[in-house]
Amino acid sequence: MHSDVVASRSAEHRDSRESRNGGSPTLDAVSLAIIEQLQEDGRRPYAAIGKAVGLSEAAVRQRVQKLLDQGVMQIVAVTDPLTVGFRRQAMVGVHVEGDVESVADALTSMSECEYVVMTAGSFDLMVEIVCEDDDHLLEVINRRIRAIPGVRSTESFVYLKLKKQTYMWGTR
């Protein structure tokens, strides 16, 4: 038991050192198991998580706080946009002329843009947009996204039906 604690503390020290040095934190099997537990149920009690991963409630609490502090994970409520008044979702591919980062920053500041990623492929950026309706989507794309300096063109992929959405990646 003592060696597990020492190994855990050693791994935590290494993780925090790597994080400070700009590298990605290295996650051990216990941290990954905690993340998996929270992905299944973000409200799962720390005592139940501890029982599943072999740690005390206090140790789980410390690990979770560290994972949050390092930006490894977030614990959030995920809604179905349709149930909260948003009837239109689309993925928008954006071709950029010049600085991709400045266009990505402008898109990131828009509340309708839920996901902004710089890509290597057909588009410079892929942006997921959630809107109230088609008129709102048109306004966001035509008047706001296309007005951003550096946006050369866009291509919209309107969602017809969501078949799968999962947040379990990252620990497989």
Side-chain angles (χ1 to χ4, degrees):
M1 181 70 162
H2 183 272
S3 64
D4 291 341
V5 173
V6 171
S8 174
R9 286 188 184 146
S10 174
E12 287 173 9
H13 178 70
R14 183 182 64 247
D15 291 351
S16 109
R17 187 178 64 243
E18 288 178 14
S19 183
R20 280 194 309 271
N21 294 335
S24 296
T26 303
L27 301 178
D28 63 12
V30 174
S31 291
L32 291 173
I34 291 169
I35 292 169
E36 286 175 356
Q37 291 284 311
L38 289 168
Q39 284 176 323
E40 289 174 12
D41 179 359
R43 295 175 46 179
R44 184 165 286 153
Y46 291 152
I49 295 170
K51 193 173 196 174
V53 302
L55 291 179
S56 70
E57 180 179 351
V60 170
R61 181 175 283 105
Q62 287 179 329
R63 290 251 190 158
V64 168
Q65 190 57 55
K66 183 177 174 194
L67 293 167
L68 294 169
D69 291 346
Q70 290 177 329
V72 171
M73 67 175 193
Q74 297 175 329
I75 300 173
V76 298
V78 178
T79 61
D80 175 354
L82 292 175
T83 65
V84 292
F86 295 100
R87 304 277 178 244
R88 180 57 67 212
Q89 289 178 270
M91 185 65 70
V92 178
V94 182
H95 290 124
V96 175
E97 208 166 64
D99 185 21
V100 175
E101 192 101 30
S102 65
V103 175
D105 289 343
L107 291 166
T108 299
S109 71
M110 295 172 57
S111 63
E112 293 87 354
C113 298
E114 296 292 322
Y115 177 81
V116 178
V117 62
M118 291 185 271
T119 65
S122 298
F123 297 100
D124 298 304
L125 298 165
M126 294 296 293
V127 183
E128 184 176 42
I129 299 176
V130 178
C131 294
E132 295 167 10
D133 53 30
D134 287 337
D135 289 336
H136 185 199
L137 178 63
L138 178 61
E139 186 265 328
V140 169
I141 294 170
N142 195 42
R143 293 205 177 111
R144 293 176 54 208
I145 293 177
R146 290 182 179 159
I148 296 170
V151 171
R152 187 173 42 135
S153 65
T154 63
E155 185 174 347
S156 303
F157 305 89
V158 175
Y159 296 4
L160 298 176
K161 184 176 185 178
L162 181 64
K163 292 293 280 183
K164 180 180 180 180
Q165 184 172 13
T166 182
Y167 297 96
M168 299 302 288
W169 50 270
T171 59
R172 289 183 254 147

